[in-house]
Amino acid sequence: MKLNEIQELIKFVAKSGVSEVDLETKDVKINIKTTPKGRNNPQEYQQVIQTAVPVATIPQQVQMQQPVVAASEAAPPAAEKPAPAKEKETASNLVEVKSPMIGTFYRSPSPDKPSFVNVGDEIKKGDVLCIIEAMKLFNEIESEVSGKIVKVLVDDASPVEYEQPLFLVEPF
């Protein structure tokens, strides 16, 4: 996990009002706690980063769990695989516009204004597609490709994660 991702996570936790968050991946364990320091003082944030259990131990646990899951669900996924493969073939030429940060997604500059883009709109590289609010800062997200908006993947005023797909664009 990169330092800027950890910083974004800390900002998101601070904004959400949650008092504690634990996140564990194969390499890193993060514990973020927020405790009120006083009525007029900002909150104090603590961050604990530890390396995880040695990698050799984790695969053994996963191997023990996988056969049970695979045996009970082996047939249904095999039957469902052809449909997603067809979707991938038709969507292979589409470009995903992803969120560069954690925040709240807005399709328009304000509630009384029209959306920046809609399905079917043609866009150029550098056109503003949406706004993502993070820590009371409104960040305009610009297109990195020219093309046509095929699908909007996020609802207005919804929280988004880092690298979450926002739009599908058919490039020119």
Side-chain angles (χ1 to χ4, degrees):
M1 184 171 250
K2 297 178 184 174
L3 181 60
N4 63 345
E5 293 173 343
I6 294 170
Q7 290 172 336
E8 288 293 325
L9 179 62
I10 292 170
K11 291 176 187 176
F12 182 75
V13 170
K15 181 180 175 186
S16 69
V18 176
S19 61
E20 184 173 354
V21 172
D22 288 316
L23 175 70
E24 189 170 343
T25 65
K26 64 179 181 177
D27 299 326
V28 177
K29 179 179 179 181
I30 298 174
N31 177 278
I32 302 171
K33 295 181 184 179
T34 59
T35 54
K37 208 172 179 183
R39 198 169 178 183
N40 296 327
N41 293 338
Q43 292 184 337
E44 175 183 323
Y45 305 101
Q46 298 177 350
Q47 176 180 328
V48 178
I49 301 176
Q50 302 172 341
T51 56
V53 181
V55 180
T57 307
I58 294 172
Q60 292 173 353
Q61 293 172 351
V62 172
Q63 289 174 359
M64 295 168 78
Q65 294 172 356
Q66 284 178 347
V68 174
V69 173
S72 64
E73 298 180 8
E80 295 175 11
K81 285 186 180 180
K86 290 178 184 176
E87 290 176 14
K88 287 182 182 178
E89 288 174 14
T90 59
S92 64
N93 64 331
L94 301 179
V95 175
E96 289 182 337
V97 176
K98 296 181 180 181
S99 175
M101 65 187 68
I102 296 172
T104 305
F105 172 85
Y106 294 105
R107 292 189 62 191
S108 61
S110 66
D112 58 335
K113 303 260 174 142
S115 298
F116 288 108
V117 294
N118 293 305
V119 174
D121 288 355
E122 292 185 1
I123 57 170
K124 296 178 290 197
K125 185 175 181 176
D127 286 354
V128 176
L129 302 176
C130 63
I131 292 177
I132 295 183
E133 177 197 0
M135 299 295 294
K136 303 292 183 194
L137 294 174
F138 293 87
N139 303 284
E140 292 183 340
I141 307 305
E142 297 178 351
S143 175
E144 296 180 4
V145 297
S146 295
K148 179 178 165 184
I149 301 290
V150 174
K151 188 170 185 178
V152 180
L153 302 171
V154 181
D155 293 328
D156 194 36
S158 297
V160 293
E161 298 292 327
Y162 176 71
E163 292 289 316
Q164 177 179 344
L166 305 173
F167 299 95
L168 289 180
V169 177
E170 183 177 358
F172 292 139

